[in-house]
Amino acid sequence: MEGGSGSNSVPPSATFDKSRVLDVKPLRSLVPVFPSSPQAPPFVCAPPSGPFPSGFSPFYPFNGPQPTPPDLNQHTHTPAPLRSFRAPQSNGKMATDGNADGSTGAPTKRPVGRPRSSSASQKKAKKDLVFTLAVVDNNFVLGITPAQREDGDTEVVNNVRMRFDALRRRLSQLEDAKESPNGWIRRADLKAANIMMSKGLRTNLRKRVGVVPGVEVGDIFFFRMEMCLVGLHSQTMAGIDYMIVRADIEEDPLAVSIVSSGGYEDEAEDRDVLIYSGQGGNVNSNKKEAADQKLERGNLALERSLHRNNEVRVIRGMKDAISPTAKVYVYDGLYRIQESWVEKGKSGCNIFKYKLVRLPGQPGAFDVWKSIQQWREGFSSRIGLILPDLTSGTEGIPVSLVNDVDKEKGPAYFTYFASVKYVKSFKLTEPSCGCNCHNACAPGDLNCSCIRKNGGDFPYTANGVLVSRRPLVHECGPTCPCIPNCKNRVTQTGLKVRLEVFKTKDRGWGLRSWDPIRAGTFICEYAGEVIEKVKARQDGEGEDDDYVFDTTRVYEPFKWNCEPGLVEGDGNDTTEEYSIPSPLIISAKNVGNVARFMNHSCNPNVFWQPVAYEQNSESYVHIAFFAMKHIPPMTELTYDYGTSRSDEVDGNDSLHGKKKCLCGSPRCRGCFG
DNA sequence: GTATATTCACATCA
DNA sequence: CTGATGTGAATATA
């Protein structure tokens, strides 16, 4: 696609007229064109290991017995190369990669360029190895070793975070449906963290000053408990976390991290400076009067850290636009306390104040948020802005086109269209009709046929987050009588996050978001024209169609759902294997939406999920993209393009038809496509 | 070892 | 749309 392959395989940009991008003609209609055809689906696939009768499931090449979870110690304790280059274990040394966007697919790393073996047997051996690694990398492991519980790394932290949110989403789903086996779950976040902690599913339990291995500057969190579980800040409510350090005979409390969340009269006078108030003295729920703060606990720890010149981790909490009560926490990296003083607060009582200054050379975090805020409010102009909205109003919210890297004025011409265009219809085996709900479809209501199609579970939580991956998500369609903002219409109501198409350093155009994105959030669908097959690549002749989404490709398996057994009495174990009526190939070469700009990564932060809804008594499958994990603003969005099945079958070992991967992930497979 | 105090949560309801 | 309120849970300290 444009980003991933465009810069590498498309001939020099002189071949197209860059000015034409300004002529993008949007099709206003969101209703796809469906010439009704009684024909059977033309996309007959001959999978190598078929047959696939009704449930066609070509996506996992390794369908055999699932391997037992490998010994975690052997793999996750692999030393340096697997560690994030941004979060070394060392205590004070700051990683300085100069990459300001905080992305995981660090473009500063060069492609691996792994040599490909030539013999078939070697290839098989390599594939097995890749598979084993993939299981460790992508699947939840059953347990976390005692060593990992004390000191984490990127993988363990990622694992804990993914499992926490999967569990939290599942608990929210149960709560929404009032199906909780043990009564009411009022706080899914607390419940999920409680379960995680009781099972030892946590990391970085050992408190430390400075860098927390596996947690990167710019990482975002949506609950305080998430930060507890990965050892970034282990106080559930308190703003100052500290540890006792022995110095000679004396015991000294030292601050390790603070959360600035708006509860006190803090000031953010500068992006790199924070005036932080000490704790205590507040009017609290026990009807205590306001009082002078005392030099004890956190306040004492901050004072000691000032004198010792220690680093303190700073987490900035702010309002999440998604709802007025919701908060999002940004890890803003290491600060040092410059001075402290006492002043009178609004209540007239003494408050300790600490001036913290951010250490230089750290990746952008809070300052990125501030910049975005200014672009949004129009106080500062976006450097490199080419078009304020490349969709020309087709989408409900604008998608800006930005290049602050070079002189290229935009991607090649295409027609912006927000959905997928079927030429011929799919037919589901069973006749399809919508539900009979006349208000909003309610979770737990088994009278709703759309919910029944989803196995009785409502696929989304109350705030529209996908709970789990499923063979096929069924949404309410245009003919369902339920209200248009029924919670079971997530992927058909247009973009919700503020996206930006931008020029990457070395991978063509890419996609990223101004908004922070929660795991499970719908990002966009893959729009384009449904085609019968991908044009064969003939060297030197014809045009490559790099803008293709193809369900028949081979995709790395990964586990995203909450594992069964974590929730007491919950046997829920949905398969994550996709199952759609017939293969689907979508070309976005001439017609498409923002999804055509999403690049490939072997360590992606976005995944695709087939979603069906019914139109004119026929069910149409759409490819919807969801966030795999929480994604900080301005981080490039990537998904796994998979590998072409035909190349696997004919044993072609060259890079023929494949692209060299530039994702920079430690587990990069070397190529894709 | 257990109990209690502390706490810049969070969701809900008025 | 705020603010009050209720339930909540890990950690430090007694």
Side-chain angles (χ1 to χ4, degrees):
Chain A
M1 310 206 174
E2 178 74 26
S5 51
S7 62
N8 305 319
S9 58
V10 167
S13 49
T15 49
F16 56 81
D17 178 4
K18 288 167 192 163
S19 65
R20 292 178 70 191
V21 70
L22 297 168
D23 291 321
V24 171
K25 297 183 211 74
L27 299 183
R28 288 257 162 202
S29 165
L30 294 183
V31 182
V33 188
F34 300 119
S36 57
S37 158
Q39 280 183 342
F43 318 116
V44 181
C45 178
S49 54
F52 296 102
S54 55
F56 180 80
S57 63
F59 305 101
Y60 296 98
F62 314 111
N63 266 344
Q66 283 291 315
T68 51
D71 181 7
L72 198 61
N73 290 319
Q74 289 188 357
H75 298 295
T76 51
H77 270 274
T78 318
L82 292 184
R83 286 190 185 276
S84 158
F85 60 95
R86 203 174 280 151
Q89 315 113 290
S90 69
N91 214 355
K93 289 276 191 296
M94 192 57 50
T96 55
D97 60 19
N99 177 11
D101 66 9
S103 69
T104 47
T108 46
K109 291 232 165 171
R110 302 310 308 168
V112 175
R114 176 187 291 164
R116 292 173 64 87
S117 57
S118 52
S119 89
S121 62
Q122 277 176 355
K123 183 175 181 179
K124 172 132 196 345
K126 167 143 279 176
K127 197 184 280 177
D128 287 347
L129 175 65
V130 169
F131 176 46
T132 311
L133 291 174
V135 169
V136 178
D137 196 21
N138 295 329
N139 280 9
F140 299 158
V141 289
L142 287 176
I144 288 184
T145 65
Q148 291 170 327
R149 219 166 283 147
E150 290 300 303
D151 302 284
D153 57 32
T154 304
E155 279 181 47
V156 181
V157 166
N158 194 41
N159 181 290
V160 168
R161 297 191 65 184
M162 299 265 288
R163 288 168 93 166
F164 166 79
D165 207 62
L167 177 56
R168 191 195 58 80
R169 291 191 308 266
R170 174 66 184 150
L171 290 168
S172 295
Q173 185 181 49
L174 291 171
E175 182 187 1
D176 289 346
K178 313 256 189 295
E179 275 175 10
S180 147
N182 290 335
W184 201 250
I185 306 163
R186 288 176 189 89
R187 290 280 303 274
D189 59 318
L190 295 183
K191 184 72 184 166
N194 181 259
I195 292 170
M196 295 283 288
M197 286 182 169
S198 69
K199 305 224 183 241
L201 302 178
R202 61 187 303 180
T203 186
N204 290 318
L205 191 49
R206 188 169 66 77
K207 278 200 183 180
R208 69 203 73 212
V209 171
V211 170
V212 176
V215 180
E216 304 200 350
V217 175
D219 277 357
I220 58 174
F221 304 83
F222 291 89
F223 298 93
R224 292 285 299 259
M225 282 301 188
E226 294 188 274
M227 297 187 280
C228 296
L229 286 170
V230 298
L232 181 63
H233 184 86
S234 48
Q235 299 292 329
T236 53
M237 296 176 84
I240 306 167
D241 194 14
Y242 56 99
M243 61 189 283
I244 305 296
V245 171
R246 284 178 217 289
D248 301 329
I249 320 152
E250 295 262 322
E251 285 191 342
D252 239 5
L254 287 182
V256 293
S257 55
I258 58 169
V259 177
S260 172
S261 188
Y264 287 74
E265 300 158 35
D266 295 346
E267 294 163 52
E269 60 178 36
D270 193 300
R271 293 180 184 196
D272 290 343
V273 177
L274 173 67
I275 310 295
Y276 191 76
S277 306
Q279 64 185 185
N282 255 356
V283 193
N284 61 17
S285 52
N286 297 337
K287 292 181 213 150
K288 263 197 207 160
E289 298 290 315
D292 287 345
Q293 291 185 344
K294 295 178 193 143
L295 192 59
E296 58 183 23
R297 301 167 187 278
N299 301 344
L300 181 60
L302 284 171
E303 200 64 39
R304 290 279 184 273
S305 289
L306 162 62
H307 289 124
R308 288 223 200 175
N309 202 28
N310 272 326
E311 299 151 336
V312 177
R313 299 187 293 271
V314 168
I315 297 117
R316 306 221 190 205
M318 36 209 131
K319 272 187 185 152
D320 187 7
I322 202 165
S323 95
T325 75
K327 270 201 181 144
V328 54
Y329 299 93
V330 184
Y331 173 44
D332 200 29
L334 302 182
Y335 281 62
R336 256 192 249 280
I337 310 171
Q338 210 168 64
E339 54 178 317
S340 72
W341 65 93
V342 177
E343 65 181 46
K344 293 274 185 221
K346 276 182 191 165
S347 63
C349 298
N350 287 337
I351 292 179
F352 286 98
K353 292 278 183 175
Y354 302 89
K355 181 179 181 185
L356 292 105
V357 179
R358 194 168 193 251
L359 301 193
Q362 303 183 85
F366 180 65
D367 56 335
V368 174
W369 288 63
K370 281 288 176 194
S371 297
I372 293 168
Q373 194 185 342
Q374 299 214 320
W375 304 335
R376 219 179 235 133
E377 292 166 356
F379 290 137
S380 75
S381 57
R382 181 87 174 89
I383 293 167
L385 184 74
I386 299 168
L387 278 177
D389 179 18
L390 76 96
T391 82
S392 309
T394 305
E395 302 281 5
I397 54 174
V399 176
S400 30
L401 178 65
V402 175
N403 182 356
D404 54 11
V405 173
D406 56 32
K407 298 280 177 228
E408 195 178 338
K409 285 294 175 205
Y413 174 82
F414 72 102
T415 302
Y416 198 95
F417 188 76
S419 189
V420 64
K421 297 169 109 171
Y422 277 92
V423 180
K424 289 167 184 163
S425 66
F426 276 130
K427 277 251 167 91
L428 281 186
T429 44
E430 44 198 285
S432 175
C433 61
C435 61
N436 289 316
C437 307
H438 286 282
N439 207 318
C441 298
D445 178 10
L446 293 181
N447 293 323
C448 170
S449 62
C450 293
I451 294 179
R452 284 204 307 274
K453 281 186 209 163
N454 287 305
D457 285 327
F458 206 82
Y460 305 106
T461 62
N463 56 8
V465 165
L466 185 73
V467 174
S468 49
R469 299 167 70 212
R470 337 185 122 257
L472 184 59
V473 165
H474 297 271
E475 290 196 357
C476 295
T479 44
C480 292
C482 55
I483 57 177
N485 58 348
C486 166
K487 301 274 193 209
N488 196 25
R489 304 172 189 267
V490 168
T491 68
Q492 51 187 294
T493 47
L495 300 183
K496 294 288 184 296
V497 288
R498 179 69 163 86
L499 297 171
E500 162 179 299
V501 172
F502 73 107
K503 184 76 190 284
T504 65
K505 281 180 195 143
D506 57 1
R507 294 184 286 167
W509 297 89
L511 187 66
R512 63 190 177 191
S513 165
W514 289 13
D515 295 322
I517 304 177
R518 288 180 190 235
T521 301
F522 168 67
I523 294 170
C524 61
E525 91 165 89
Y526 198 96
E529 298 167 299
V530 172
I531 57 173
E532 297 199 13
K533 60 178 182 182
V534 184
K535 250 189 255 172
R537 290 170 199 281
Q538 301 286 327
D539 285 352
E541 98 177 46
E543 283 181 88
D544 281 359
D545 189 350
D546 288 325
Y547 302 92
V548 166
F549 184 90
D550 183 351
T551 61
T552 67
R553 283 187 184 174
V554 179
Y555 294 91
E556 287 283 316
F558 68 97
K559 181 117 171 71
W560 192 69
N561 297 354
C562 174
E563 67 243 79
L566 277 189
V567 182
E568 210 179 315
D570 180 25
N572 179 57
D573 183 17
T574 53
T575 175
E576 301 191 30
E577 238 173 83
Y578 297 143
S579 167
I580 56 177
S582 57
L584 179 60
I585 304 173
I586 305 169
S587 168
K589 184 177 170 60
N590 303 312
V591 174
N593 69 348
V594 287
R596 72 200 290 281
F597 294 108
M598 229 189 310
N599 281 317
H600 163 86
S601 172
C602 303
N603 178 26
N605 50 20
V606 172
F607 65 86
W608 58 278
Q609 160 75 54
V611 175
Y613 42 92
E614 176 267 334
Q615 285 163 299
N616 306 323
S617 302
E618 309 219 43
S619 211
Y620 292 93
V621 175
H622 300 252
I623 301 302
F625 290 99
F626 292 90
M628 190 183 287
K629 38 196 161 191
H630 302 329
I631 306 173
M634 304 304 279
T635 302
E636 183 171 7
L637 307 178
T638 54
Y639 71 99
D640 182 356
Y641 281 12
T643 46
S644 158
R645 192 166 280 273
S646 57
D647 286 355
E648 300 250 325
V649 174
D650 64 20
N652 191 339
D653 265 357
S654 74
L655 275 167
H656 178 72
K658 291 195 181 350
K659 306 283 191 330
K660 199 197 253 181
C661 182
L662 298 164
C663 77
S665 148
R667 289 279 166 76
C668 180
R669 301 196 294 271
C671 62
F672 64 88

